Amino acid sequence: MKLLRHGPVGAEKPGALDADGQLRDLSLLVADFTPEWMSPEKLDALQAIDLRKMPLVPAGTRLGTPISGTRQFVAIGLNYRRHAAESGHEIPKEPVVFTKALTSLAGPNDMVELPEGSLAGDWEIELGFVIGTLARKVAVPDALKHVAGYCLANDVSERDWQIKRNGQWGKGKSFDGFGPIGPWLVTTDELADPQNIPLELAVSGITRQKSNTADMIFPVAEIVSYLSQFMTLLPGDIVITGTPEGVGLGIKPEPVFLKRGDVMTLNAGPLGTQRQQVV
Ligand code: ZN
């Protein structure tokens, strides 16, 4: 299934994409896609709905994040070899982990607002996943059972705040709107293998990133297991898994950063597309 939420900011309703690619409204049956809807039992119940009998969502309706009520937004850094190299880092021996503010979450096509005076806004296309069932000290072979589904993410970053302001990366990753998620959550019944998803991002028509999740250093199962050794992952938590090479910071001889008016377009095959105008 491809689950989504549609409507104005703060008033989104649940929906799903049907087999013909039409957006269907599910608000007659489900109040919202809160974390408890990510359990295998609830997802099975959703499977039983005949989507073609549900109302169509009007064309042009805004999409929000595909899930509401997320309690933790976790990110992995430097998880592709060539991205680690372009960033001037060694290949990490263990996953690099940071968090993004929950208030950075945004719909897949919402505008991205750079903070005042920002000269170093950057893009990072990533595979995201949503936790389905509580995960604590999970072994790698059992890890994917705790995942409800996968989504496209842009880990928008402000490099000066990330690198030059002392301390943690989260500063440059947490501005409002710096976490576009969606357009939909592809549940694991439809996408069993997260390690073969194409990722392509362009800025104002110029392709900047083109890779595949097959190139990840730590695959999703290892990330779930690793995180669960030192933190409890809760249903509805969103984890984004690192970006491949081609970010603005890595462009030689000089970095290229986002300008107001730029448009970021992202494509991740079965996970859908995003489009964000920079303001
Ligand atoms: Zn990232």
Side-chain angles (χ1 to χ4, degrees):
M1 278 177 300
K2 294 187 174 82
L3 305 179
L4 54 92
R5 291 168 66 252
H6 62 92
V9 176
E12 292 92 344
K13 295 174 177 176
L17 197 73
D18 72 16
D20 299 323
Q22 306 259 43
L23 272 61
R24 300 286 179 167
D25 174 50
L26 297 182
S27 62
L28 292 172
L29 303 174
V30 179
D32 200 359
F33 287 141
T34 47
E36 57 268 30
W37 278 97
M38 296 297 106
S39 73
E41 298 75 24
K42 291 279 199 179
L43 292 176
D44 278 351
L46 292 175
Q47 291 268 20
I49 298 171
D50 184 352
L51 291 177
R52 287 163 305 179
K53 294 192 171 140
M54 304 309 295
L56 282 168
V57 175
T61 301
R62 172 188 172 269
L63 297 180
T65 57
I67 169 165
S68 74
T70 294
R71 288 165 286 188
Q72 304 188 91
F73 187 10
V74 181
I76 306 299
L78 307 174
N79 199 23
Y80 289 76
R81 285 174 184 79
R82 285 190 294 267
H83 174 60
E86 77 178 349
S87 306
H89 289 93
E90 305 277 309
I91 303 294
K93 293 184 179 64
E94 298 189 37
V96 173
V97 178
F98 61 96
T99 56
K100 286 173 76 83
L102 288 172
T103 43
S104 70
L105 287 168
N109 305 311
D110 290 349
M111 286 191 274
V112 167
E113 184 179 342
L114 294 177
E116 203 175 325
S118 168
L119 299 173
D122 207 344
W123 52 86
E124 296 194 349
I125 188 172
E126 306 198 6
L127 166 68
F129 63 86
V130 173
I131 294 292
T133 54
L134 185 145
R136 182 183 289 141
K137 293 191 174 20
V138 173
V140 173
D142 298 324
L144 292 185
K145 292 180 206 153
H146 294 272
V147 174
Y150 301 97
C151 52
L152 174 57
N154 188 355
D155 179 16
V156 181
S157 305
E158 212 292 336
R159 302 301 186 193
D160 287 343
W161 276 94
Q162 180 186 348
I163 297 164
K164 297 180 179 171
R165 305 295 289 260
N166 276 351
Q168 303 292 313
W169 289 3
K171 290 179 191 175
K173 305 272 194 175
S174 288
F175 289 95
D176 288 0
F178 272 28
I181 300 286
W184 42 67
L185 179 73
V186 183
T187 52
T188 53
D189 58 287
E190 237 180 77
L191 186 65
D193 178 14
Q195 304 307 146
N196 187 23
I197 298 172
L199 297 174
E200 188 165 347
L201 177 145
V203 180
S204 297
I206 301 171
T207 300
R208 296 296 190 181
Q209 295 187 281
K210 192 170 167 54
S211 187
N212 188 292
T213 59
D215 289 333
M216 281 168 56
I217 298 168
F218 302 106
V220 172
E222 286 184 36
I223 291 169
V224 172
S225 172
Y226 184 83
L227 292 172
S228 78
Q229 304 307 307
F230 61 86
M231 66 187 287
T232 300
L233 296 170
L234 300 170
D237 286 355
I238 299 173
V239 180
I240 58 175
T241 61
T243 198
E245 71 279 9
V247 301
L249 180 67
I251 294 173
K252 306 284 186 296
E254 291 296 326
V256 174
F257 292 123
L258 293 170
K259 304 180 300 297
R260 278 111 185 133
D262 274 342
V263 174
M264 296 183 273
T265 48
L266 294 77
N267 190 335
L271 300 186
T273 62
Q274 297 186 351
R275 179 187 190 279
Q276 296 116 19
Q277 185 173 3
V278 179
V279 295

